Amino acid sequence: MSKTKRAYKYRFYPTDEQKRLLAQTFGCCRFVYNWGLHIRSTAYKGGVKLSYNDLAALLPDLKKQYPWLADVSSVPLQQSLRHLDKGFKNFFERRAKYPTFKKKQHAQSATYAANALKWNGATLTLAKMEAPLNIHWHRPLPKNAQPSSVTITKDCANRYFVSILVEEDMKPLPVVNNMVGLDLGIKSMVALSTGESVGNPRYFAKDEKRLAKAQRRHAKKKKGSKNRNKARLKIARVHARIQDRRRDYQHKLSTRIVHENQVICIESLAVKNMVKNHKLAKAISDVGWSELIRQLEYKSKWYGRTLIKIDRWYPSSKTCHGCKHVVDALTLDIREWVCPACGVVHDRDTNAARNILAEGLSASACGGSGRPVRAKARQATPIEAGNAHS
Ligand SMILES: [Zn+2]
């Protein structure tokens, strides 16, 4: 068993009083975050790197200058400086872009550490609030869970969510013999090396129609009018629905793949991003390849599975899985092709997924460690890597 931090997210319905306090808290968190970003940016331009502690030490003075900051719990304010610190760390370690200012129009959030919340095993109450949050518990928290922090968000569709971070013991699943390779499909969302294609893009077509309709309506309303604002909210709601359905779909898929297979081979996002092709780039963002990889990564870790990520580009689509012959070109409209060397007929996506499985397995010694393995796949020649991998 391994201990792991796991977030449980629920929708909740604040009272008017809670809404007011949360709005105030979001505003103060945003203010402190933007203030910190400004101070750190100014220092950074002057060649000075400030830390979380440097900024936290300035908070009391900031509160004297802006007394309304004291109307909300001080914990979320400190936490915003922690988020900012993380943003800078990610930037310095080249994982993210330079942090940007937070805007009122975007989703809002505030994080409460354990010292600013009360959890009695059934109800959750935040600092400065009298009543507990009215949470819709669509699934229970694990028994004896102790929340280590809680993040409140309000999305653009004005819905409130609480994400509760708890430490949990994860039991590995029983070992199974299956291994699978996954590729981003052209005609489906994901192609499996078993020949199965999952995720019909048409699943979301209805949502997209609804979104286009909402956008057209919004464009017709007078700027600054009440109706325009209503129409904007409508768009946000459709977006939220699309996002929810997508996320839900990805969770079902990643859970199923991790349950059914001991070893899972995929190409990393970096490899996918080398594809300089608009159609495929859109497919990658539509499918949420990075989110799917993220879920596969942590679920593999939880359940004792091995995830093999192929880090280097190789022609997975253009290589015949049977005889390893590599064809020169394979445009995106080609769904099926015949290997000129051995005559086998390939379904484009399945063949690619099979190659990814083989490449992942050959490039790493597989055990049931559950840790993601970085596969040192065959290095592409500069000429190969320079071509559009399609
Ligand atoms: Zn062949």
Side-chain angles (χ1 to χ4, degrees), residues 320-325 339-344 346:
C320 165
H321 179 64
C323 72
K324 307 298 169 209
H325 176 78
C339 173
C342 72
V344 168
H346 289 299

Side-chain angles (χ1 to χ4, degrees), residues 315 317-320 324-330 337-341:
S317 294
K318 293 191 286 188
T319 305
C320 165
K324 307 298 169 209
H325 176 78
V326 181
V327 293
D328 290 337
L330 206 61
W337 56 284
V338 181
C339 173

